Amino acid sequence: MEIATLLVSCPDRKGIVASLAQLLYGHGANIVHSSQHTDELAGMFFQRIRFDLGTLTTDRETLEAEIRETAADFAMQWRLAYAARRHRVAIFCSKQEHCLYDLLIRHRAGELPCTIAMVVSNHSDLEDVARHFDIPFHHAKITPETKVFQETATLDLLRSANIDLIVLARYMQILSPKFVAQYPSRIINIHHSFLPAFIGANPYRQAYERGVKLIGATSHYVTADLDQGPIIEQETIRCTHGDSVDDLVRKGREVETRVLAAAVRLHLQDRILVHANKTVVFH
Amino acid sequence: MEIATLLVSCPDRKGIVASLAQLLYGHGANIVHSSQHTDELAGMFFQRIRFDLGTLTTDRETLEAEIRETAADFAMQWRLAYAARRHRVAIFCSKQEHCLYDLLIRHRAGELPCTIAMVVSNHSDLEDVARHFDIPFHHAKITPETKVFQETATLDLLRSANIDLIVLARYMQILSPKFVAQYPSRIINIHHSFLPAFIGANPYRQAYERGVKLIGATSHYVTADLDQGPIIEQETIRCTHGDSVDDLVRKGREVETRVLAAAVRLHLQDRILVHANKTVVFH
Amino acid sequence: MEIATLLVSCPDRKGIVASLAQLLYGHGANIVHSSQHTDELAGMFFQRIRFDLGTLTTDRETLEAEIRETAADFAMQWRLAYAARRHRVAIFCSKQEHCLYDLLIRHRAGELPCTIAMVVSNHSDLEDVARHFDIPFHHAKITPETKVFQETATLDLLRSANIDLIVLARYMQILSPKFVAQYPSRIINIHHSFLPAFIGANPYRQAYERGVKLIGATSHYVTADLDQGPIIEQETIRCTHGDSVDDLVRKGREVETRVLAAAVRLHLQDRILVHANKTVVFH
Amino acid sequence: MEIATLLVSCPDRKGIVASLAQLLYGHGANIVHSSQHTDELAGMFFQRIRFDLGTLTTDRETLEAEIRETAADFAMQWRLAYAARRHRVAIFCSKQEHCLYDLLIRHRAGELPCTIAMVVSNHSDLEDVARHFDIPFHHAKITPETKVFQETATLDLLRSANIDLIVLARYMQILSPKFVAQYPSRIINIHHSFLPAFIGANPYRQAYERGVKLIGATSHYVTADLDQGPIIEQETIRCTHGDSVDDLVRKGREVETRVLAAAVRLHLQDRILVHANKTVVFH
């Protein structure tokens, strides 16, 4: 099967589902999966439709043109993703290796449908990991003086490699608003707490001091506001009075890797829509 | 809104989604939610569509007639449930009260969209509980001699009360195949283990003896084969070497109540389709 | 067996474990369980010892006197609880019934080793629930004018009934610092969020607006600072974009009841020590 | 601190706890942690004591001699592990890499206190992984003809390397009873189901066919009876009707890695005692 995924969001009104179903049917496309959500408070409609292009009776251009027309009728935002056109991903990391390893192992196992085009780091520590998986490694050393320059150079690099998703795998630098603006809803970060608890630095120490009985991790799209972007996935894990800060860090690695990988996978499968700083995630 | 839910299953083929969407749209029904599943190994298609009847431009009879026609074209099994027509439920119990209480409390809180028409028990211990919630209680004492007779009497009672769902809330009697056959996919049981582990009697003792580190509970539709029916919901809970059989029983009550209530709720919301001894559960 | 539980905390130093073991052995008391914890940062030692009084070769007064002496040597805080002397509990509630029912059902099932001496409420809605379980119900209506007076009257009531644990089962009034000071580490509250996220009013609405993917509940001892007391137990449950605030409230009830009941049970089993606004919970 | 861990099990009787505490105190050893368990049905007592050797007033030989004497008095089985003497581990694998990677990454992060002395495999596929982590790799190809010979050669290899723990990280060969007998309670396997459900081959396919709503993984000590050894750790993960066998395999990898790593860590920390085909695990 040649699969395409159509993601749409628009003000809710009658007839959207039937219109899209009819449109696709009219081009010979067979719907293999469909999910929808209506946010009644916001008055918004969201849908994800996966369909088979193999039986198309017209061509892709004609199909896209008609989607464009229908979208205009319904004031829809839409995106059409062809499974054959794999996402191109850059992973950013610093010195901690657990999330990087986890993503590369899952990728090799076929869990992450994408091309990992590069690993970018402000340190050289993990070059050996990238090389072990045959992924190009870019060392972009960052100092207060070079930070602006490095971001510009990195943006050039990403553009020239047609990157469409950036994954911050425990990357310890804050991206500038200018950088973030280039990749709206296309930078995924992992924060090592159950947001909105323990925003900012050292969440495990904060958790230790508060004496919580669960710690967590949160993956979210990066926005200009630190730790405030739309949440994609969260998970918690039990801890006790017996856990030192180091124990929390160790336990946390486990949820961080899982939660980041889950978010990346959901994004790569075109399951996420963003509206008003929240995500609609079609599982 | 006046909501109706259409559940369909049929051999998979092209055009089903569009046909149903078009059909409903043609009658003015607005689809508010839709989920689908294709079992590729079995070659089967399943869909649940919730739609608003308030905007219907024809009437229910005309709509149903056309669904019947389309269903015939696609060799569909289908069921149309009107939210306004509440399910009528009988809860069967014996001496243990936790599941009964839990269901009645949730019902009163509005979590279970149904009429609980009666509580049936082979013991009188829980009559006071039923009375506290103003539910009629039927004591149907069962002895080896009276079992066949009682089942017949109970079937009469259920029929005269138009019961369409029976919930076995730790009911300690085995229903005869003849009884079960009257309510296919309409009797929900809670088994106090993570099936298929620990089938049969005393699952907590079996779990204790095997030294497992998790115990569980399983809700399933009752079929003629004991503990073998289609599984609706399962959950597990941690245990340790320190837990006695009594501790397992106590911990188990917690998962039993949750898993049974979840299954009943899913059924009442018309979210479950059964095919080949397995469930499709649209969450 | 006649069980006693000794809970101690003191500055950490060598020989504590051996001294207590030797002391108990010297009186013929057989240790049936023991747990300990050292908080290295705080330099504090904590221990819980359960022992059998049945084999005591001296008497309780002599034993207590020697514990008192040893405690003085080690600058210990200590508490000796005899299992035969059941905790006396008052449950405070308002209009929501789920936590109250849950506690009363568990109590009847033998899960909560205590005497539930009364239910106190600022509304009369749940009188019928208390009566169903044969627990005295006190309606203490609270208005801005009567609040101070009512608290004093309630304190008198609690004192005259020898209450040693107060459980706030979704009690919607804030207790005054003066009231709280009477029951240090002896008032357990359930907060309907994963603290410290969503402190204050309407945590489910806050959670909805932030778009979290998990909601939670936290049981804690009440201190003068609202929602800031030592955390006893926490749990989370998954939610999705599809959950309305009402859905979060419904899902939340499930974790609230579990987390509150777990905390109460841990307290009643004398498993909790408090130090520096954190709990040591011996599972 | 120089830590030693004493693990004992014996028929339960009065005075064991005090005797051991007094014994250690008499040698100047400071107890930093202690846990105990009494299995009342079996009449057995179990204890784990961690103590600091740094303050020893005698020497290790004298201490061990007195432990031996006390052990004889109580008919104790005992084991004394010095933290400074790291466990020596061999990891056995076949072609699947997820558990191997996970163990090696955790080891490098300091989560597994041991020396991983070698990776042994019946295939050469994972040699590159072992090399990446600088662990010697032994390819021991197995055919029906060479199996007996290879086991003997492998046993020699293990002996000459002083291996004291074997971890089967999805090793797809069945070890002979003769081999297993050489390492009682010292071979840890990961079975890809929630035992005792789905014993034997292809548990994910079995799970798919039964239509379960959770899948799991079980780590256990290997005994002569396949999949019947003492369970160390288990975990489950949700699945749905939408998961194909391949999806279950993918989800399963996540629990397999976690559950195996947890079991290995528990063993390496000398937290596990085995009695009557069950484990006592001191968390």
Side-chain angles (χ1 to χ4, degrees):
Chain A
M1 282 204 281
E2 292 175 70
I3 295 291
T5 303
L6 178 63
L7 283 167
V8 307
S9 59
C10 62
D12 190 26
R13 73 182 228 220
K14 208 174 134 182
I16 308 172
V17 176
S19 295
L20 289 174
Q22 196 54 34
L23 186 163
L24 292 171
Y25 187 68
H27 289 257
N30 190 34
I31 295 176
V32 291
H33 208 273
S34 165
S35 311
Q36 64 185 82
H37 170 60
T38 306
D39 180 333
E40 283 169 26
L41 287 185
M44 289 292 294
F45 173 86
F46 305 88
Q47 192 173 14
R48 174 180 185 257
I49 311 177
R50 281 167 66 79
F51 54 93
D52 184 3
L53 294 162
T55 55
L56 220 57
T57 51
T58 62
D59 59 25
R60 295 185 187 190
E61 288 69 35
T62 317
L63 174 65
E64 289 186 23
E66 196 176 338
I67 293 175
R68 194 170 299 115
E69 244 174 74
T70 300
D73 291 350
F74 287 96
M76 261 176 202
Q77 290 193 283
W78 63 286
R79 192 163 87 240
L80 185 60
Y82 297 101
R85 195 257 171 239
R86 292 166 79 79
H87 289 263
R88 291 182 61 77
V89 175
I91 302 177
F92 284 33
C93 57
S94 291
K95 291 183 166 191
Q96 293 194 53
E97 67 186 33
H98 55 287
C99 284
L100 177 62
Y101 261 121
D102 183 73
L103 290 168
L104 295 177
I105 293 167
R106 287 179 196 265
H107 180 252
R108 196 153 76 185
E111 293 185 26
L112 303 176
C114 68
T115 300
I116 298 183
M118 65 180 72
V119 172
V120 176
S121 180
N122 55 329
H123 294 280
S124 60
D125 304 55
L126 303 184
E127 180 163 7
D128 182 51
V129 178
R131 186 178 300 135
H132 174 63
F133 288 89
D134 292 321
I135 310 285
F137 180 86
H138 294 277
H139 180 198
K141 196 179 166 183
I142 290 175
T143 63
E145 295 75 37
T146 62
K147 176 146 185 167
V148 173
F149 170 78
Q150 272 295 16
E151 272 208 348
T152 308
T154 301
L155 278 172
D156 285 347
L157 179 69
L158 298 171
R159 250 181 250 114
S160 70
N162 292 315
I163 296 302
D164 42 31
L165 176 68
I166 296 166
V167 178
L168 307 185
R170 298 303 311 274
Y171 182 63
M172 304 306 277
Q173 294 286 321
I174 295 170
L175 298 171
S176 73
K178 192 193 138 205
F179 189 108
V180 171
Q182 300 298 307
Y183 291 90
S185 300
R186 292 199 285 149
I187 307 175
I188 297 177
N189 185 42
I190 179 73
H191 183 77
H192 38 318
S193 86
F194 177 76
L195 288 175
F198 310 130
I199 283 170
N202 274 329
Y204 291 126
R205 173 154 290 280
Q206 292 182 56
Y208 177 82
E209 280 162 8
R210 181 62 186 91
V212 291
K213 301 300 184 188
L214 293 170
I215 54 167
T218 304
S219 54
H220 62 92
Y221 285 119
V222 175
T223 58
D225 289 331
L226 193 65
D227 301 337
Q228 300 289 353
I231 292 169
I232 303 169
E233 176 68 330
Q234 303 189 285
E235 221 179 297
T236 53
I237 191 171
R238 297 195 78 77
C239 58
T240 75
H241 63 267
D243 288 314
S244 64
V245 174
D246 282 352
D247 290 323
L248 299 185
V249 167
R250 170 180 55 81
K251 288 186 170 182
R253 283 198 292 264
E254 205 147 291
V255 270
E256 291 168 26
T257 52
R258 277 206 313 261
V259 167
L260 179 58
V264 169
R265 185 172 151 90
L266 290 165
H267 180 99
L268 295 175
Q269 294 180 329
D270 303 298
R271 293 178 179 275
I272 315 177
L273 281 158
V274 173
H275 180 74
N277 209 43
K278 290 164 72 170
T279 59
V280 171
V281 180
F282 290 118
H283 284 280
Chain B
M1 280 204 284
E2 292 174 69
I3 295 292
T5 303
L6 178 62
L7 283 167
V8 306
S9 58
C10 62
D12 189 28
R13 73 183 227 216
K14 211 172 131 181
I16 308 172
V17 176
S19 296
L20 290 174
Q22 196 53 34
L23 186 163
L24 293 171
Y25 187 69
H27 290 257
N30 190 35
I31 295 176
V32 292
H33 208 274
S34 164
S35 311
Q36 64 183 84
H37 169 61
T38 307
D39 180 333
E40 285 169 24
L41 287 185
M44 288 294 292
F45 173 87
F46 305 88
Q47 192 172 15
R48 175 181 184 256
I49 310 177
R50 279 166 66 78
F51 54 93
D52 184 3
L53 295 160
T55 54
L56 220 58
T57 51
T58 63
D59 58 24
R60 296 186 186 190
E61 289 67 36
T62 318
L63 175 65
E64 288 186 23
E66 196 176 337
I67 293 174
R68 195 170 299 115
E69 244 173 74
T70 301
D73 291 350
F74 286 96
M76 262 176 202
Q77 290 193 281
W78 64 285
R79 194 164 84 237
L80 186 60
Y82 296 100
R85 196 255 172 240
R86 294 166 79 78
H87 288 262
R88 292 182 61 77
V89 176
I91 303 178
F92 283 34
C93 57
S94 291
K95 293 184 166 189
Q96 294 193 53
E97 67 187 31
H98 56 286
C99 284
L100 178 62
Y101 262 122
D102 183 74
L103 291 168
L104 295 177
I105 291 168
R106 288 179 195 265
H107 181 252
R108 197 153 76 183
E111 293 186 26
L112 302 176
C114 68
T115 300
I116 299 184
M118 66 180 73
V119 172
V120 176
S121 180
N122 55 328
H123 296 279
S124 59
D125 304 55
L126 303 183
E127 180 162 7
D128 182 51
V129 178
R131 186 179 301 134
H132 175 61
F133 289 89
D134 292 321
I135 310 285
F137 180 87
H138 294 278
H139 180 195
K141 195 178 167 185
I142 289 175
T143 62
E145 294 74 38
T146 61
K147 178 150 183 162
V148 171
F149 170 78
Q150 274 293 16
E151 274 207 347
T152 307
T154 302
L155 277 172
D156 286 346
L157 179 69
L158 298 172
R159 248 180 251 117
S160 70
N162 290 316
I163 296 302
D164 42 32
L165 176 68
I166 296 165
V167 178
L168 308 184
R170 300 299 315 274
Y171 182 62
M172 304 306 277
Q173 292 287 322
I174 295 171
L175 299 171
S176 74
K178 190 194 140 206
F179 189 108
V180 171
Q182 300 298 307
Y183 290 91
S185 300
R186 293 199 286 150
I187 307 174
I188 297 179
N189 184 43
I190 180 74
H191 183 77
H192 40 317
S193 87
F194 176 77
L195 288 174
F198 309 129
I199 284 169
N202 274 327
Y204 292 127
R205 172 153 291 280
Q206 291 182 56
Y208 177 83
E209 279 162 9
R210 182 61 186 92
V212 291
K213 301 300 184 186
L214 296 169
I215 53 167
T218 304
S219 55
H220 62 93
Y221 286 120
V222 174
T223 59
D225 288 331
L226 193 65
D227 301 337
Q228 301 288 353
I231 293 170
I232 302 170
E233 176 67 330
Q234 301 187 286
E235 222 179 299
T236 53
I237 191 170
R238 298 194 77 77
C239 59
T240 75
H241 62 267
D243 289 314
S244 65
V245 174
D246 282 351
D247 290 322
L248 299 185
V249 168
R250 171 180 53 81
K251 289 186 170 183
R253 283 198 292 263
E254 204 146 292
V255 272
E256 290 167 26
T257 52
R258 280 208 310 266
V259 167
L260 179 59
V264 170
R265 185 172 150 89
L266 290 165
H267 181 99
L268 295 174
Q269 294 180 327
D270 303 299
R271 293 179 178 275
I272 314 178
L273 281 159
V274 172
H275 180 74
N277 209 44
K278 291 164 71 170
T279 60
V280 171
V281 180
F282 291 116
H283 285 281
Chain C
M1 281 204 281
E2 292 174 71
I3 294 292
T5 304
L6 177 63
L7 283 167
V8 306
S9 58
C10 62
D12 190 26
R13 75 182 225 220
K14 208 172 132 184
I16 308 171
V17 176
S19 295
L20 290 173
Q22 196 55 32
L23 187 163
L24 293 171
Y25 186 67
H27 289 256
N30 191 35
I31 296 177
V32 292
H33 207 274
S34 164
S35 310
Q36 64 184 83
H37 169 61
T38 307
D39 181 333
E40 286 170 23
L41 287 185
M44 288 293 292
F45 173 86
F46 305 88
Q47 191 172 15
R48 175 181 184 257
I49 310 178
R50 280 167 66 77
F51 54 92
D52 184 3
L53 295 161
T55 55
L56 220 56
T57 51
T58 62
D59 58 23
R60 294 186 188 190
E61 289 67 37
T62 317
L63 175 65
E64 289 186 24
E66 195 176 339
I67 294 175
R68 195 169 299 117
E69 243 173 77
T70 300
D73 292 348
F74 287 97
M76 262 176 201
Q77 291 193 283
W78 63 285
R79 194 164 84 239
L80 185 61
Y82 297 100
R85 196 255 171 242
R86 294 165 79 81
H87 290 262
R88 291 184 60 80
V89 176
I91 303 177
F92 284 33
C93 58
S94 290
K95 293 184 167 189
Q96 293 194 53
E97 67 186 32
H98 57 287
C99 284
L100 178 62
Y101 261 122
D102 183 72
L103 291 168
L104 296 177
I105 292 167
R106 286 179 198 265
H107 180 252
R108 196 153 75 184
E111 294 186 25
L112 303 176
C114 67
T115 299
I116 298 183
M118 64 181 72
V119 172
V120 176
S121 179
N122 56 328
H123 295 279
S124 60
D125 303 55
L126 304 184
E127 181 164 5
D128 182 50
V129 178
R131 185 178 302 133
H132 174 62
F133 289 88
D134 291 320
I135 311 284
F137 179 87
H138 295 277
H139 179 197
K141 194 178 169 186
I142 290 176
T143 63
E145 295 75 36
T146 61
K147 177 148 184 164
V148 172
F149 169 79
Q150 273 293 16
E151 273 206 350
T152 307
T154 301
L155 278 173
D156 286 345
L157 178 68
L158 298 172
R159 250 180 251 117
S160 70
N162 290 316
I163 296 302
D164 42 30
L165 177 68
I166 297 166
V167 178
L168 307 185
R170 299 302 311 277
Y171 181 62
M172 304 306 275
Q173 294 287 321
I174 295 171
L175 298 171
S176 73
K178 191 193 138 206
F179 188 108
V180 170
Q182 300 298 308
Y183 291 91
S185 300
R186 294 200 283 150
I187 308 174
I188 296 177
N189 184 42
I190 180 75
H191 183 77
H192 38 317
S193 86
F194 176 78
L195 287 175
F198 311 130
I199 283 169
N202 274 328
Y204 292 127
R205 172 153 293 280
Q206 292 182 57
Y208 177 83
E209 279 161 10
R210 181 61 186 91
V212 291
K213 301 299 185 189
L214 295 171
I215 54 168
T218 304
S219 55
H220 62 92
Y221 285 120
V222 174
T223 58
D225 288 332
L226 193 65
D227 300 340
Q228 300 290 352
I231 292 169
I232 302 169
E233 176 67 330
Q234 302 188 286
E235 223 180 297
T236 54
I237 191 170
R238 297 196 77 78
C239 59
T240 76
H241 63 267
D243 288 314
S244 65
V245 174
D246 282 351
D247 290 323
L248 299 186
V249 168
R250 171 180 53 79
K251 288 186 171 185
R253 282 198 292 264
E254 205 146 293
V255 272
E256 290 166 26
T257 51
R258 275 203 317 260
V259 167
L260 179 59
V264 170
R265 184 172 151 88
L266 290 165
H267 180 99
L268 295 174
Q269 294 181 329
D270 303 298
R271 294 178 178 276
I272 315 178
L273 281 159
V274 172
H275 180 74
N277 209 43
K278 291 164 71 169
T279 60
V280 171
V281 181
F282 291 117
H283 285 280
Chain D
M1 281 205 282
E2 292 174 68
I3 294 292
T5 304
L6 177 63
L7 284 167
V8 307
S9 59
C10 61
D12 189 27
R13 73 182 225 218
K14 209 174 132 183
I16 308 172
V17 175
S19 296
L20 290 173
Q22 196 53 33
L23 186 165
L24 293 171
Y25 186 67
H27 290 256
N30 191 35
I31 295 177
V32 292
H33 207 274
S34 164
S35 312
Q36 65 185 82
H37 168 61
T38 307
D39 181 333
E40 285 168 26
L41 287 186
M44 288 293 293
F45 173 85
F46 305 87
Q47 192 173 13
R48 176 183 184 255
I49 310 178
R50 279 166 67 78
F51 54 93
D52 184 3
L53 295 162
T55 54
L56 220 57
T57 51
T58 61
D59 58 23
R60 297 188 186 188
E61 288 69 36
T62 316
L63 175 64
E64 289 186 23
E66 196 175 338
I67 294 175
R68 194 169 300 115
E69 245 173 74
T70 301
D73 290 350
F74 287 97
M76 264 177 199
Q77 290 192 284
W78 64 285
R79 195 164 83 237
L80 185 60
Y82 297 100
R85 196 257 172 237
R86 294 166 78 79
H87 288 261
R88 292 182 59 78
V89 175
I91 303 177
F92 283 33
C93 58
S94 290
K95 292 184 167 187
Q96 294 195 51
E97 67 186 32
H98 55 287
C99 284
L100 177 62
Y101 261 121
D102 183 73
L103 291 169
L104 295 177
I105 292 167
R106 287 179 196 263
H107 180 252
R108 197 152 76 185
E111 293 185 27
L112 303 176
C114 68
T115 300
I116 298 183
M118 65 180 73
V119 172
V120 176
S121 180
N122 56 328
H123 295 279
S124 60
D125 304 56
L126 302 184
E127 181 163 7
D128 182 51
V129 178
R131 186 180 298 135
H132 174 63
F133 289 88
D134 292 321
I135 310 286
F137 180 88
H138 294 278
H139 180 196
K141 195 176 167 186
I142 290 175
T143 62
E145 294 76 35
T146 62
K147 176 146 184 166
V148 172
F149 170 78
Q150 273 293 18
E151 273 207 350
T152 306
T154 300
L155 278 172
D156 286 346
L157 179 68
L158 298 172
R159 250 180 251 116
S160 69
N162 291 315
I163 295 302
D164 42 32
L165 177 68
I166 297 166
V167 178
L168 307 185
R170 300 300 314 275
Y171 182 63
M172 304 306 276
Q173 293 286 322
I174 295 171
L175 298 171
S176 73
K178 191 194 140 207
F179 188 108
V180 170
Q182 300 298 308
Y183 291 91
S185 300
R186 293 200 284 149
I187 307 174
I188 297 178
N189 184 43
I190 180 74
H191 184 77
H192 39 317
S193 88
F194 176 77
L195 288 175
F198 309 131
I199 284 169
N202 275 327
Y204 291 126
R205 172 153 293 281
Q206 292 182 57
Y208 176 83
E209 279 163 8
R210 181 61 185 91
V212 290
K213 301 300 183 186
L214 294 170
I215 53 167
T218 303
S219 55
H220 61 94
Y221 286 119
V222 175
T223 58
D225 287 330
L226 194 64
D227 302 337
Q228 301 289 352
I231 292 170
I232 303 169
E233 176 67 331
Q234 302 189 286
E235 224 181 295
T236 53
I237 192 171
R238 297 195 77 77
C239 59
T240 75
H241 63 267
D243 288 313
S244 64
V245 174
D246 282 352
D247 290 322
L248 299 185
V249 168
R250 170 179 55 79
K251 289 185 169 184
R253 282 198 292 263
E254 207 147 289
V255 272
E256 290 167 27
T257 53
R258 278 205 314 263
V259 167
L260 179 58
V264 170
R265 185 172 150 88
L266 291 165
H267 180 99
L268 294 175
Q269 294 181 329
D270 303 299
R271 293 178 180 276
I272 315 177
L273 281 159
V274 172
H275 181 75
N277 210 42
K278 292 166 70 169
T279 60
V280 171
V281 181
F282 291 117
H283 285 279

